[in-house]
Amino acid sequence: MEWRRHFHQYPELSLKEAVDDYEKSLIEREWRSSTGKIAETARRLGISKQLLKYKLDKYRLR
């Protein structure tokens, strides 16, 4: 799994940093897979469109 590889490379990460990194990678993968469609990406992730927009801005993915 992607997050395991990353975690072993950076064992000094805090729990929050590790969770944020994993969350960002999941969102980025689905965002690209859905070709940038908000509703489809949110549906795939099981979150609201509003929350997805917040996280896209948070992680600077759009």
Side-chain angles (χ1 to χ4, degrees), residues 29-42 44:
R29 184 182 67 212
E30 292 302 329
W31 177 246
R32 287 183 178 168
S33 176
S34 68
T35 61
K37 295 179 181 136
I38 297 278
E40 185 176 340
T41 303
R44 288 180 181 189

Side-chain angles (χ1 to χ4, degrees), residues 42-57:
R43 182 184 52 76
R44 288 180 181 189
L45 292 169
I47 61 176
S48 70
K49 292 186 294 185
Q50 182 178 5
L51 180 56
L52 176 60
K53 289 176 186 178
Y54 167 78
K55 290 181 182 290
L56 288 170
D57 291 339

Side-chain angles (χ1 to χ4, degrees), residues 4-62:
R4 286 184 185 167
R5 180 172 27 91
H6 183 78
F7 183 75
H8 291 294
Q9 289 175 346
Y10 305 102
E12 70 279 359
L13 287 178
S14 70
L15 176 60
K16 180 179 180 350
E17 291 168 329
V19 169
D20 284 349
D21 190 53
Y22 182 59
E23 180 179 64
K24 179 182 177 182
S25 70
L26 289 175
I27 292 169
E28 188 171 24
R29 184 182 67 212
E30 292 302 329
W31 177 246
R32 287 183 178 168
S33 176
S34 68
T35 61
K37 295 179 181 136
I38 297 278
E40 185 176 340
T41 303
R43 182 184 52 76
R44 288 180 181 189
L45 292 169
I47 61 176
S48 70
K49 292 186 294 185
Q50 182 178 5
L51 180 56
L52 176 60
K53 289 176 186 178
Y54 167 78
K55 290 181 182 290
L56 288 170
D57 291 339
K58 175 183 176 181
Y59 296 123
R60 298 180 180 159
L61 296 174
R62 63 172 178 163

